Amino acid sequence: MNKLYLYNTLTRQKEEFKPIKKGAVGLYTCGPTVYNYAHIGNLRTYIFEDILKRVLVYNGYKVKHVMNITDVGHLTGDRDMGEDKLEKGAKRENKTVWEIAEFYTQAFRDDMKRLNITEPNIWCKATDYIKEQIELVEILEKKGYAYKISDGIYFDIAKFKNYNQLSHQPTENLLAGARVEKNDEKKNAADFALWKFSTPLTPFVGGVKTAKRQMEWPSPWGIGFPGWAIECSAMSLAELRDQLDIHCGGVDHIDIHHTNEIAQSEAATGKKFFNYWLHGAFLNIAGGKKMAKSEDNFLTLKNAFIKKKIDPLIYRFATLQTHYRKPMEYGEEAMKNAQSGLEHLYNQVRALGQDQGKINKEFAEKFLAAVNDDLNMPKVLAMAQELLKSDLTNKDKLATILDFDKVLGLNLNQAGEPEETSAEVTILARARVKARESKNWTEADRLRREIEKLGYSAEDAKDGQRISKK
Ligand code: AMP
Ligand code: ZN
Protein backbone atom coordinates (compact mmCIF):
# COMPACT_ATOMS: atom_id res chain seq x y z
CA MET A 1 0.00 0.00 0.00
CA ASN A 2 1.26 3.49 -0.81
CA LYS A 3 1.57 6.10 1.88
CA LEU A 4 -1.49 8.32 2.07
CA TYR A 5 -1.31 11.52 4.11
CA LEU A 6 -4.45 13.23 5.37
CA TYR A 7 -4.89 16.33 7.53
CA ASN A 8 -6.50 15.22 10.76
CA THR A 9 -8.41 17.93 12.65
CA LEU A 10 -7.88 15.93 15.86
CA THR A 11 -4.10 16.26 15.75
CA ARG A 12 -3.96 19.35 13.55
CA GLN A 13 -1.42 17.80 11.24
CA LYS A 14 -1.05 15.76 8.12
CA GLU A 15 -0.74 12.16 9.21
CA GLU A 16 -0.05 8.93 7.43
CA PHE A 17 -3.37 7.14 7.15
CA LYS A 18 -3.45 3.76 8.85
CA PRO A 19 -6.74 1.86 8.77
CA ILE A 20 -7.91 -0.29 11.65
CA LYS A 21 -8.39 -3.31 9.39
CA LYS A 22 -5.75 -4.03 6.77
CA GLY A 23 -6.81 -2.99 3.28
CA ALA A 24 -10.24 -1.72 4.33
CA VAL A 25 -11.63 1.64 5.41
CA GLY A 26 -14.76 2.65 7.27
CA LEU A 27 -15.85 6.11 6.12
CA TYR A 28 -18.69 8.09 7.68
CA THR A 29 -19.79 11.35 6.10
CA CYS A 30 -22.45 13.51 7.75
CA GLY A 31 -25.30 13.72 5.28
CA PRO A 32 -27.91 16.33 4.44
CA THR A 33 -30.73 17.64 6.58
CA VAL A 34 -33.54 16.99 4.13
CA TYR A 35 -35.84 19.96 4.65
CA ASN A 36 -34.74 21.90 1.60
CA TYR A 37 -32.49 21.56 -1.45
CA ALA A 38 -28.78 21.24 -0.75
CA HIS A 39 -26.96 24.44 -1.70
CA ILE A 40 -23.79 24.41 -3.71
CA GLY A 41 -21.79 25.06 -0.50
CA ASN A 42 -23.08 21.79 0.96
CA LEU A 43 -22.30 20.15 -2.36
CA ARG A 44 -18.72 21.39 -2.22
CA THR A 45 -18.31 19.35 0.97
CA TYR A 46 -19.86 16.26 -0.63
CA ILE A 47 -17.54 16.59 -3.65
CA PHE A 48 -14.49 16.77 -1.35
CA GLU A 49 -15.72 13.62 0.45
CA ASP A 50 -16.25 11.89 -2.89
CA ILE A 51 -12.68 12.72 -3.91
CA LEU A 52 -11.45 11.29 -0.60
CA LYS A 53 -13.41 8.09 -1.19
CA ARG A 54 -12.15 7.77 -4.77
CA VAL A 55 -8.56 8.30 -3.58
CA LEU A 56 -8.99 5.55 -1.00
CA VAL A 57 -10.36 3.22 -3.68
CA TYR A 58 -7.57 4.25 -6.08
CA ASN A 59 -5.08 3.22 -3.39
CA GLY A 60 -6.66 -0.21 -3.33
CA TYR A 61 -8.72 0.07 -0.14
CA LYS A 62 -12.08 -1.60 0.17
CA VAL A 63 -14.20 1.32 1.36
CA LYS A 64 -17.36 0.94 3.40
CA HIS A 65 -19.02 4.33 3.12
CA VAL A 66 -21.93 5.24 5.35
CA MET A 67 -23.91 8.45 4.95
CA ASN A 68 -26.81 9.52 7.10
CA ILE A 69 -29.95 11.36 6.15
CA THR A 70 -30.99 13.77 8.90
CA ASP A 71 -34.76 13.59 8.86
CA VAL A 72 -35.36 14.51 12.48
CA GLY A 73 -33.75 16.37 15.38
CA HIS A 74 -31.78 19.12 13.62
CA LEU A 75 -33.13 22.32 15.10
CA THR A 76 -32.95 25.83 13.69
CA GLY A 77 -30.87 27.08 16.65
CA ASP A 78 -27.28 25.91 16.81
CA ARG A 79 -27.67 24.47 20.28
CA ASP A 80 -30.90 22.51 20.60
CA MET A 81 -33.22 25.47 20.50
CA GLY A 82 -35.78 26.52 17.97
CA GLU A 83 -37.89 24.48 15.64
CA ASP A 84 -37.09 21.12 14.05
CA LYS A 85 -36.01 21.94 10.49
CA LEU A 86 -38.13 19.11 9.07
CA GLU A 87 -41.25 20.25 10.90
CA LYS A 88 -40.60 23.78 9.68
CA GLY A 89 -40.19 22.54 6.08
CA ALA A 90 -43.46 20.61 6.35
CA LYS A 91 -45.33 23.71 7.48
CA ARG A 92 -43.76 25.81 4.73
CA GLU A 93 -44.92 23.41 2.03
CA ASN A 94 -48.06 22.16 3.70
CA LYS A 95 -46.90 18.57 3.53
CA THR A 96 -46.11 15.85 6.04
CA VAL A 97 -42.57 15.66 7.36
CA TRP A 98 -42.25 12.27 5.72
CA GLU A 99 -43.14 13.70 2.31
CA ILE A 100 -40.65 16.52 2.83
CA ALA A 101 -37.90 14.07 3.80
CA GLU A 102 -38.65 11.81 0.84
CA PHE A 103 -38.73 14.68 -1.65
CA TYR A 104 -35.50 16.37 -0.57
CA THR A 105 -33.65 13.08 -0.18
CA GLN A 106 -34.45 12.31 -3.81
CA ALA A 107 -33.45 15.84 -4.84
CA PHE A 108 -30.14 15.36 -3.05
CA ARG A 109 -29.50 12.06 -4.79
CA ASP A 110 -30.26 13.70 -8.14
CA ASP A 111 -27.69 16.40 -7.36
CA MET A 112 -25.15 13.74 -6.43
CA LYS A 113 -25.70 12.00 -9.76
CA ARG A 114 -25.28 15.23 -11.69
CA LEU A 115 -22.01 15.90 -9.92
CA ASN A 116 -20.71 12.34 -10.28
CA ILE A 117 -20.66 11.89 -6.52
CA THR A 118 -20.74 8.17 -5.89
CA GLU A 119 -23.46 6.87 -3.61
CA PRO A 120 -22.52 5.48 -0.19
CA ASN A 121 -22.68 1.74 0.44
CA ILE A 122 -25.13 2.40 3.22
CA TRP A 123 -27.65 5.21 3.55
CA CYS A 124 -29.11 5.57 7.00
CA LYS A 125 -32.07 7.67 7.97
CA ALA A 126 -32.10 8.98 11.53
CA THR A 127 -35.74 7.93 11.92
CA ASP A 128 -34.80 4.29 11.16
CA TYR A 129 -32.38 4.21 14.13
CA ILE A 130 -34.53 5.54 16.97
CA LYS A 131 -34.04 2.34 18.98
CA GLU A 132 -30.24 2.57 18.72
CA GLN A 133 -30.31 6.23 19.72
CA ILE A 134 -32.45 5.53 22.78
CA GLU A 135 -30.12 2.69 23.78
CA LEU A 136 -27.12 5.01 23.57
CA VAL A 137 -28.83 7.61 25.75
CA GLU A 138 -29.69 4.87 28.26
CA ILE A 139 -26.01 3.90 28.50
CA LEU A 140 -25.03 7.55 29.00
CA GLU A 141 -27.65 7.86 31.71
CA LYS A 142 -26.41 4.71 33.49
CA LYS A 143 -22.85 5.98 33.36
CA GLY A 144 -23.86 9.31 34.86
CA TYR A 145 -23.31 11.56 31.84
CA ALA A 146 -26.97 12.46 31.27
CA TYR A 147 -29.42 14.55 33.25
CA LYS A 148 -33.02 15.56 32.82
CA ILE A 149 -34.47 19.07 32.63
CA SER A 150 -37.91 20.23 31.62
CA ASP A 151 -37.40 20.06 27.85
CA GLY A 152 -35.23 16.97 27.56
CA ILE A 153 -32.26 14.79 28.53
CA TYR A 154 -28.91 16.55 28.27
CA PHE A 155 -25.24 15.55 28.18
CA ASP A 156 -23.15 17.00 30.98
CA ILE A 157 -19.94 18.11 29.26
CA ALA A 158 -18.21 18.76 32.60
CA LYS A 159 -18.23 14.99 33.23
CA PHE A 160 -16.29 14.32 30.04
CA LYS A 161 -12.60 15.20 30.26
CA ASN A 162 -11.67 15.60 26.65
CA TYR A 163 -14.54 17.75 25.42
CA ASN A 164 -12.24 20.13 23.52
CA GLN A 165 -10.06 17.55 21.77
CA LEU A 166 -11.39 18.32 18.29
CA SER A 167 -11.99 22.06 18.51
CA HIS A 168 -8.74 22.79 20.39
CA GLN A 169 -10.54 25.72 21.98
CA PRO A 170 -11.86 26.63 25.41
CA THR A 171 -15.59 25.95 25.67
CA GLU A 172 -16.41 29.68 26.05
CA ASN A 173 -15.02 30.26 22.55
CA LEU A 174 -17.23 27.52 21.13
CA LEU A 175 -20.27 29.35 22.39
CA ALA A 176 -19.19 32.76 21.16
CA GLY A 177 -20.10 32.31 17.50
CA ALA A 178 -23.18 30.14 17.96
CA ARG A 179 -26.75 31.26 18.15
CA VAL A 180 -27.35 30.21 21.72
CA GLU A 181 -30.58 30.83 23.51
CA LYS A 182 -30.35 30.93 27.24
CA ASN A 183 -31.50 27.84 29.07
CA ASP A 184 -31.08 28.35 32.81
CA GLU A 185 -31.79 24.73 33.60
CA LYS A 186 -28.69 23.44 31.82
CA LYS A 187 -25.68 22.76 34.06
CA ASN A 188 -23.20 24.11 31.50
CA ALA A 189 -24.06 26.38 28.59
CA ALA A 190 -22.57 23.92 26.06
CA ASP A 191 -24.48 20.88 27.37
CA PHE A 192 -26.44 19.43 24.49
CA ALA A 193 -29.67 17.51 24.07
CA LEU A 194 -29.62 13.74 23.77
CA TRP A 195 -33.40 13.44 23.77
CA LYS A 196 -35.97 16.23 23.59
CA PHE A 197 -39.53 16.06 24.79
CA SER A 198 -42.27 16.72 22.27
CA THR A 199 -44.23 18.80 24.69
CA PRO A 200 -41.94 20.42 27.20
CA LEU A 201 -42.95 19.50 30.75
CA THR A 202 -43.72 23.19 31.09
CA PRO A 203 -46.17 23.38 28.17
CA PHE A 204 -45.71 27.04 27.37
CA VAL A 205 -42.48 28.30 25.88
CA GLY A 206 -42.28 32.06 25.95
CA GLY A 207 -46.05 32.21 26.34
CA VAL A 208 -46.66 30.36 23.05
CA LYS A 209 -48.14 26.91 23.15
CA THR A 210 -45.90 24.61 21.14
CA ALA A 211 -47.59 22.87 18.23
CA LYS A 212 -47.81 19.10 18.19
CA ARG A 213 -44.93 17.50 16.36
CA GLN A 214 -45.47 15.09 13.50
CA MET A 215 -42.42 13.03 14.42
CA GLU A 216 -42.25 11.68 17.93
CA TRP A 217 -41.54 8.39 19.65
CA PRO A 218 -42.02 6.90 23.11
CA SER A 219 -38.87 6.60 25.22
CA PRO A 220 -38.01 5.76 28.83
CA TRP A 221 -38.06 9.52 29.52
CA GLY A 222 -41.26 10.47 27.74
CA ILE A 223 -42.52 11.05 24.21
CA GLY A 224 -40.07 12.98 22.11
CA PHE A 225 -37.34 12.86 19.52
CA PRO A 226 -33.56 12.44 19.45
CA GLY A 227 -31.04 15.28 19.62
CA TRP A 228 -29.10 16.04 16.46
CA ALA A 229 -25.64 14.63 17.22
CA ILE A 230 -26.87 11.38 18.80
CA GLU A 231 -28.04 10.11 15.40
CA CYS A 232 -24.56 10.17 13.89
CA SER A 233 -23.07 8.48 16.95
CA ALA A 234 -25.71 5.75 16.97
CA MET A 235 -25.63 5.12 13.23
CA SER A 236 -21.86 5.13 12.82
CA LEU A 237 -21.42 2.80 15.80
CA ALA A 238 -24.16 0.52 14.44
CA GLU A 239 -22.91 0.40 10.87
CA LEU A 240 -19.15 0.72 11.15
CA ARG A 241 -18.57 -0.94 14.56
CA ASP A 242 -14.89 -1.95 14.42
CA GLN A 243 -14.11 0.20 11.39
CA LEU A 244 -14.27 3.70 12.84
CA ASP A 245 -11.57 5.08 10.56
CA ILE A 246 -12.56 8.38 8.95
CA HIS A 247 -15.38 10.81 9.76
CA CYS A 248 -16.01 13.91 7.63
CA GLY A 249 -18.09 17.03 7.32
CA GLY A 250 -17.77 20.74 6.75
CA VAL A 251 -15.72 22.94 9.11
CA ASP A 252 -18.90 24.22 10.78
CA HIS A 253 -19.34 20.75 12.27
CA ILE A 254 -16.10 20.90 14.25
CA ASP A 255 -17.20 22.99 17.22
CA ILE A 256 -20.63 21.56 17.90
CA HIS A 257 -21.85 18.56 15.96
CA HIS A 258 -18.63 16.55 15.80
CA THR A 259 -17.42 17.68 19.22
CA ASN A 260 -20.69 16.40 20.68
CA GLU A 261 -20.59 13.18 18.67
CA ILE A 262 -17.14 12.41 20.04
CA ALA A 263 -18.06 13.25 23.64
CA GLN A 264 -21.18 11.11 23.79
CA SER A 265 -19.72 8.18 21.81
CA GLU A 266 -16.49 7.99 23.81
CA ALA A 267 -18.39 8.45 27.08
CA ALA A 268 -20.75 5.60 26.16
CA THR A 269 -18.24 3.11 24.76
CA GLY A 270 -15.18 4.04 26.81
CA LYS A 271 -13.21 3.75 23.56
CA LYS A 272 -11.79 6.13 20.99
CA PHE A 273 -14.43 7.10 18.43
CA PHE A 274 -13.03 7.81 14.92
CA ASN A 275 -9.26 8.02 14.33
CA TYR A 276 -9.29 10.61 11.52
CA TRP A 277 -11.52 13.68 11.29
CA LEU A 278 -11.47 15.56 7.99
CA HIS A 279 -13.24 18.84 7.36
CA GLY A 280 -13.95 20.74 4.15
CA ALA A 281 -13.69 24.54 4.11
CA PHE A 282 -16.62 26.74 3.20
CA LEU A 283 -17.93 27.96 -0.07
CA ASN A 284 -18.33 31.69 0.45
CA ILE A 285 -20.29 34.20 -1.49
CA ALA A 286 -19.87 37.94 -2.06
CA GLY A 287 -16.88 38.96 0.01
CA GLY A 288 -16.28 36.02 2.29
CA LYS A 289 -19.80 35.42 3.60
CA LYS A 290 -20.58 31.75 4.17
CA MET A 291 -23.28 30.34 1.92
CA ALA A 292 -26.02 29.16 4.25
CA LYS A 293 -29.65 28.22 4.02
CA SER A 294 -30.41 30.45 6.99
CA GLU A 295 -28.84 33.47 5.24
CA ASP A 296 -31.04 33.38 2.15
CA ASN A 297 -27.93 33.75 0.03
CA PHE A 298 -27.87 30.20 -1.13
CA LEU A 299 -27.79 28.84 -4.63
CA THR A 300 -28.91 25.37 -5.57
CA LEU A 301 -27.41 23.33 -8.36
CA LYS A 302 -30.69 23.75 -10.19
CA ASN A 303 -30.72 27.56 -10.04
CA ALA A 304 -27.05 28.19 -10.62
CA PHE A 305 -26.43 25.56 -13.29
CA ILE A 306 -29.21 23.35 -14.62
CA LYS A 307 -31.78 26.11 -15.26
CA LYS A 308 -29.10 28.13 -17.02
CA LYS A 309 -28.25 25.05 -19.09
CA ILE A 310 -24.73 24.97 -17.68
CA ASP A 311 -23.27 21.51 -17.18
CA PRO A 312 -23.14 20.86 -13.37
CA LEU A 313 -19.80 19.11 -13.81
CA ILE A 314 -18.34 22.59 -14.31
CA TYR A 315 -19.04 23.11 -10.62
CA ARG A 316 -17.26 19.87 -9.74
CA PHE A 317 -14.29 21.03 -11.83
CA ALA A 318 -14.38 24.47 -10.14
CA THR A 319 -14.23 22.94 -6.66
CA LEU A 320 -11.21 20.86 -7.66
CA GLN A 321 -9.32 24.05 -8.51
CA THR A 322 -9.21 25.00 -4.81
CA HIS A 323 -7.76 22.73 -2.14
CA TYR A 324 -10.55 21.38 0.07
CA ARG A 325 -9.11 23.01 3.19
CA LYS A 326 -9.08 26.49 1.65
CA PRO A 327 -12.21 28.64 1.51
CA MET A 328 -13.59 29.02 -1.99
CA GLU A 329 -15.34 32.10 -3.32
CA TYR A 330 -18.34 31.60 -5.59
CA GLY A 331 -18.83 34.08 -8.38
CA GLU A 332 -20.10 34.05 -11.96
CA GLU A 333 -16.66 35.05 -13.23
CA ALA A 334 -14.99 32.14 -11.46
CA MET A 335 -17.62 29.77 -12.89
CA LYS A 336 -17.05 31.14 -16.40
CA ASN A 337 -13.34 30.43 -16.01
CA ALA A 338 -14.12 26.93 -14.78
CA GLN A 339 -16.42 26.42 -17.77
CA SER A 340 -13.73 27.35 -20.26
CA GLY A 341 -11.21 25.28 -18.28
CA LEU A 342 -13.35 22.15 -18.47
CA GLU A 343 -14.33 22.72 -22.10
CA HIS A 344 -10.66 23.11 -22.97
CA LEU A 345 -9.88 19.86 -21.15
CA TYR A 346 -12.69 18.06 -23.00
CA ASN A 347 -11.39 19.37 -26.34
CA GLN A 348 -7.86 18.26 -25.51
CA VAL A 349 -9.04 14.75 -24.57
CA ARG A 350 -11.30 14.54 -27.62
CA ALA A 351 -8.33 15.36 -29.84
CA LEU A 352 -6.51 12.29 -28.54
CA GLY A 353 -8.85 9.97 -30.46
CA GLN A 354 -10.44 6.79 -29.20
CA ASP A 355 -7.59 4.31 -28.80
CA GLN A 356 -6.01 3.78 -25.44
CA GLY A 357 -2.39 2.80 -24.97
CA LYS A 358 -0.59 2.30 -21.67
CA ILE A 359 -0.82 4.33 -18.49
CA ASN A 360 2.43 6.28 -18.26
CA LYS A 361 4.27 5.15 -15.14
CA GLU A 362 6.02 8.41 -14.39
CA PHE A 363 2.79 10.46 -14.54
CA ALA A 364 0.88 7.79 -12.61
CA GLU A 365 3.43 8.01 -9.81
CA LYS A 366 3.31 11.80 -9.72
CA PHE A 367 -0.48 11.65 -9.71
CA LEU A 368 -0.55 9.24 -6.79
CA ALA A 369 1.93 11.39 -4.84
CA ALA A 370 -0.32 14.45 -5.34
CA VAL A 371 -3.62 12.82 -4.40
CA ASN A 372 -1.95 11.09 -1.46
CA ASP A 373 -0.63 14.42 -0.21
CA ASP A 374 -3.91 15.38 1.48
CA LEU A 375 -5.88 15.31 -1.80
CA ASN A 376 -3.96 17.96 -3.70
CA MET A 377 -6.39 18.30 -6.61
CA PRO A 378 -5.18 21.71 -7.86
CA LYS A 379 -1.82 20.03 -8.41
CA VAL A 380 -3.50 17.16 -10.25
CA LEU A 381 -5.24 19.59 -12.63
CA ALA A 382 -1.91 21.27 -13.40
CA MET A 383 -0.39 17.83 -13.92
CA ALA A 384 -3.14 16.90 -16.36
CA GLN A 385 -2.08 19.89 -18.51
CA GLU A 386 1.55 18.83 -18.23
CA LEU A 387 0.58 15.34 -19.39
CA LEU A 388 -1.54 16.57 -22.31
CA LYS A 389 1.25 18.86 -23.49
CA SER A 390 3.97 16.23 -23.07
CA ASP A 391 5.52 14.28 -25.95
CA LEU A 392 3.85 11.00 -25.04
CA THR A 393 1.76 9.31 -27.74
CA ASN A 394 -1.92 10.23 -27.90
CA LYS A 395 -2.85 6.68 -26.95
CA ASP A 396 -0.74 6.74 -23.79
CA LYS A 397 -1.97 10.22 -22.93
CA LEU A 398 -5.54 9.00 -23.22
CA ALA A 399 -4.95 5.92 -21.05
CA THR A 400 -3.21 8.06 -18.41
CA ILE A 401 -5.77 10.87 -18.28
CA LEU A 402 -8.63 8.37 -18.06
CA ASP A 403 -6.81 6.78 -15.14
CA PHE A 404 -6.65 10.23 -13.45
CA ASP A 405 -10.36 10.55 -14.11
CA LYS A 406 -11.10 7.63 -11.77
CA VAL A 407 -10.46 10.21 -9.05
CA LEU A 408 -11.38 13.44 -10.87
CA GLY A 409 -14.78 12.07 -11.90
CA LEU A 410 -15.16 14.52 -14.79
CA ASN A 411 -16.49 12.02 -17.36
CA LEU A 412 -13.43 12.49 -19.54
CA ASN A 413 -14.27 9.18 -21.24
CA GLN A 414 -17.35 10.89 -22.62
CA ALA A 415 -15.37 13.84 -23.91
CA GLY A 416 -16.03 12.41 -27.36
CA GLU A 417 -19.57 13.78 -27.29
CA PRO A 418 -20.20 16.48 -29.87
CA GLU A 419 -19.11 19.86 -28.60
CA GLU A 420 -22.45 21.53 -29.11
CA THR A 421 -24.37 19.02 -26.96
CA SER A 422 -26.58 20.95 -24.58
CA ALA A 423 -26.33 20.49 -20.82
CA GLU A 424 -29.76 18.90 -20.86
CA VAL A 425 -28.71 16.25 -23.37
CA THR A 426 -25.47 15.65 -21.48
CA ILE A 427 -27.39 15.03 -18.26
CA LEU A 428 -29.80 12.64 -20.00
CA ALA A 429 -26.94 10.87 -21.76
CA ARG A 430 -25.13 10.30 -18.49
CA ALA A 431 -28.27 9.06 -16.78
CA ARG A 432 -28.72 6.64 -19.68
CA VAL A 433 -25.17 5.28 -19.26
CA LYS A 434 -25.96 4.68 -15.57
CA ALA A 435 -29.32 3.04 -16.41
CA ARG A 436 -27.58 0.69 -18.87
CA GLU A 437 -24.89 -0.12 -16.31
CA SER A 438 -27.56 -1.19 -13.86
CA LYS A 439 -29.37 -3.08 -16.66
CA ASN A 440 -32.45 -0.92 -16.32
CA TRP A 441 -33.42 -1.21 -19.98
CA THR A 442 -36.85 0.41 -19.62
CA GLU A 443 -35.26 3.51 -18.13
CA ALA A 444 -32.53 3.46 -20.80
CA ASP A 445 -35.19 3.38 -23.53
CA ARG A 446 -37.15 6.16 -21.89
CA LEU A 447 -34.00 8.30 -21.72
CA ARG A 448 -33.24 7.57 -25.38
CA ARG A 449 -36.68 8.90 -26.31
CA GLU A 450 -36.03 12.02 -24.19
CA ILE A 451 -32.70 12.54 -25.96
CA GLU A 452 -34.39 12.09 -29.34
CA LYS A 453 -37.02 14.68 -28.44
CA LEU A 454 -34.18 17.18 -28.09
CA GLY A 455 -32.93 16.41 -31.60
CA TYR A 456 -30.13 13.96 -30.80
CA SER A 457 -29.71 10.23 -31.20
CA ALA A 458 -28.15 7.80 -28.76
CA GLU A 459 -26.39 4.78 -30.28
CA ASP A 460 -24.84 1.96 -28.31
CA ALA A 461 -21.42 1.22 -29.77
CA LYS A 462 -18.98 -1.41 -28.50
CA ASP A 463 -16.96 1.13 -26.52
CA GLY A 464 -19.94 2.96 -25.10
CA GLN A 465 -22.77 5.31 -25.97
CA ARG A 466 -22.49 7.71 -28.92
CA ILE A 467 -24.58 10.84 -28.94
CA SER A 468 -25.00 12.63 -32.23
CA LYS A 469 -27.14 15.40 -33.61
CA LYS A 470 -29.95 14.13 -35.82
P1 AMP B 1 -26.45 20.38 6.51
O1 AMP B 1 -27.41 19.84 5.49
O2 AMP B 1 -26.75 21.78 6.93
O3 AMP B 1 -26.31 19.46 7.72
O4 AMP B 1 -25.02 20.47 5.83
C1 AMP B 1 -24.50 19.46 5.02
C2 AMP B 1 -22.98 19.57 4.88
O5 AMP B 1 -22.60 20.81 4.23
C3 AMP B 1 -22.24 19.58 6.21
O6 AMP B 1 -21.08 18.76 6.10
C4 AMP B 1 -21.86 21.04 6.41
O7 AMP B 1 -20.72 21.15 7.21
C5 AMP B 1 -21.59 21.47 4.99
N1 AMP B 1 -21.73 22.94 4.71
C6 AMP B 1 -22.67 23.80 5.17
N2 AMP B 1 -22.50 25.05 4.64
C7 AMP B 1 -21.41 24.97 3.83
C8 AMP B 1 -20.72 25.91 2.98
N3 AMP B 1 -21.10 27.17 2.83
N4 AMP B 1 -19.63 25.46 2.28
C9 AMP B 1 -19.23 24.17 2.39
N5 AMP B 1 -19.84 23.23 3.16
C10 AMP B 1 -20.93 23.62 3.87
ZN1 ZN C 1 -23.30 14.02 11.63
Side-chain angles (χ1 to χ4, degrees):
M1 221 41 109
N2 293 289
K3 287 191 174 181
L4 163 62
Y5 292 90
L6 299 171
Y7 183 90
N8 188 352
T9 310
L10 259 185
T11 56
R12 285 179 148 174
Q13 57 191 16
K14 269 192 223 173
E15 280 178 45
E16 186 185 342
F17 172 68
K18 296 215 167 93
I20 296 165
K21 279 191 191 171
K22 199 166 172 266
V25 184
L27 172 67
Y28 187 91
T29 54
C30 286
T33 308
V34 285
Y35 71 112
N36 206 334
Y37 291 103
H39 59 63
I40 57 173
N42 302 133
L43 294 169
R44 178 185 185 202
T45 294
Y46 298 111
I47 296 171
F48 132 64
E49 293 162 347
D50 183 56
I51 294 288
L52 168 66
K53 179 174 160 185
R54 286 168 182 258
V55 167
L56 289 164
V57 171
Y58 191 88
N59 275 275
Y61 288 108
K62 188 172 179 333
V63 180
K64 182 171 177 187
H65 178 201
V66 179
M67 194 191 299
N68 66 298
I69 297 281
T70 300
D71 55 357
V72 68
H74 193 175
L75 306 188
T76 49
D78 286 339
R79 287 192 182 266
D80 308 312
M81 305 303 264
E83 207 175 345
D84 190 310
K85 292 184 176 185
L86 265 289
E87 302 268 348
K88 192 175 170 189
K91 264 188 233 155
R92 180 188 67 222
E93 298 185 23
N94 208 9
K95 287 188 182 144
T96 69
V97 280
W98 309 101
E99 284 165 341
I100 289 288
E102 174 79 35
F103 179 83
Y104 289 110
T105 300
Q106 193 48 51
F108 178 66
R109 293 178 72 178
D110 291 344
D111 283 349
M112 285 176 80
K113 243 187 227 138
R114 289 176 179 131
L115 290 167
N116 267 351
I117 298 173
T118 46
E119 294 233 358
N121 304 86
I122 298 174
W123 283 108
C124 32
K125 286 199 281 184
T127 50
D128 286 341
Y129 290 75
I130 298 296
K131 185 172 141 273
E132 287 79 357
Q133 295 176 72
I134 291 177
E135 280 167 6
L136 205 53
V137 182
E138 283 181 308
I139 297 173
L140 290 169
E141 195 180 35
K142 262 191 216 121
K143 290 194 167 183
Y145 289 100
Y147 65 94
K148 183 174 177 175
I149 58 174
S150 58
D151 74 346
I153 307 294
Y154 280 75
F155 185 91
D156 183 352
I157 63 156
K159 294 258 165 73
F160 184 73
K161 276 206 195 86
N162 252 336
Y163 187 68
N164 303 325
Q165 59 182 301
L166 188 72
S167 66
H168 308 277
Q169 292 190 56
T171 312
E172 310 82 78
N173 290 11
L174 301 187
L175 293 168
R179 275 164 288 147
V180 187
E181 286 165 51
K182 213 164 148 30
N183 182 337
D184 290 335
E185 291 181 73
K186 285 207 281 188
K187 292 188 185 170
N188 313 283
D191 287 353
F192 55 92
L194 298 165
W195 185 264
K196 286 209 84 174
F197 302 126
S198 279
T199 312
L201 298 183
T202 42
F204 294 90
V205 175
V208 182
K209 194 169 191 327
T210 46
K212 189 168 160 44
R213 290 177 55 86
Q214 293 185 43
M215 284 201 247
E216 54 184 15
W217 295 263
S219 82
W221 314 280
I223 293 176
F225 59 100
W228 177 33
I230 199 80
E231 67 169 273
C232 287
S233 290
M235 293 189 285
S236 56
L237 289 170
E239 296 299 342
L240 291 173
R241 293 163 197 274
D242 50 353
Q243 276 194 285
L244 301 172
D245 289 305
I246 309 178
H247 197 123
C248 305
V251 283
D252 55 331
H253 280 353
I254 298 173
D255 291 354
I256 306 178
H257 185 56
H258 287 167
T259 284
N260 294 349
E261 273 188 52
I262 295 175
Q264 66 200 358
S265 305
E266 296 193 349
T269 63
K271 291 187 200 145
K272 186 162 186 198
F273 194 36
F274 280 81
N275 288 331
Y276 300 86
W277 290 80
L278 270 63
H279 294 97
F282 280 146
L283 175 79
N284 294 323
I285 198 153
K289 204 166 185 331
K290 172 195 167 191
M291 183 174 287
K293 287 177 205 164
S294 51
E295 298 285 349
D296 265 357
N297 65 0
F298 76 89
L299 290 167
T300 61
L301 199 62
K302 216 179 204 164
N303 287 340
F305 291 88
I306 300 164
K307 275 196 185 151
K308 295 185 184 165
K309 302 213 184 302
I310 305 171
D311 183 352
L313 280 188
I314 289 163
Y315 183 59
R316 184 177 174 105
F317 181 78
T319 67
L320 302 183
Q321 291 177 313
T322 307
H323 190 267
Y324 79 90
R325 283 196 290 120
K326 287 209 177 110
M328 173 180 163
E329 188 91 8
Y330 175 85
E332 301 224 345
E333 201 50 38
M335 290 308 119
K336 273 200 190 118
N337 289 339
Q339 178 159 13
S340 43
L342 184 59
E343 272 164 15
H344 179 56
L345 185 58
Y346 281 159
N347 287 338
Q348 287 171 301
V349 176
R350 202 175 290 133
L352 298 175
Q354 305 275 339
D355 298 334
Q356 286 186 49
K358 282 204 199 95
I359 296 172
N360 179 269
K361 221 172 141 221
E362 198 186 313
F363 272 103
E365 274 167 17
K366 281 206 276 188
F367 172 77
L368 193 63
V371 295
N372 281 1
D373 178 18
D374 197 30
L375 322 179
N376 193 342
M377 302 314 289
K379 192 163 179 184
V380 167
L381 292 180
M383 199 181 292
Q385 285 308 319
E386 207 189 304
L387 163 73
L388 292 163
K389 287 173 189 153
S390 72
D391 52 12
L392 294 180
T393 62
N394 281 355
K395 288 179 180 183
D396 287 359
K397 282 182 189 172
L398 184 64
T400 311
I401 195 93
L402 292 186
D403 187 55
F404 287 11
D405 201 43
K406 287 181 189 152
V407 173
L408 290 167
L410 293 170
N411 282 358
L412 297 181
N413 58 340
Q414 290 166 36
E417 284 170 20
E419 242 171 291
E420 70 276 21
T421 308
S422 72
E424 234 173 318
V425 173
T426 309
I427 293 165
L428 291 167
R430 276 191 207 123
R432 189 166 178 274
V433 170
K434 295 229 160 82
R436 284 178 55 79
E437 277 165 7
S438 50
K439 301 200 184 337
N440 187 346
W441 311 121
T442 330
E443 177 66 358
D445 285 346
R446 187 189 70 78
L447 290 162
R448 166 182 276 137
R449 286 194 296 277
E450 292 291 314
I451 292 168
E452 283 171 352
K453 269 191 223 156
L454 295 169
Y456 289 80
S457 68
E459 305 294 330
D460 299 313
K462 237 202 231 146
D463 55 348
Q465 174 178 265
R466 292 247 183 288
I467 301 289
S468 40
K469 219 165 185 165
K470 283 208 281 193

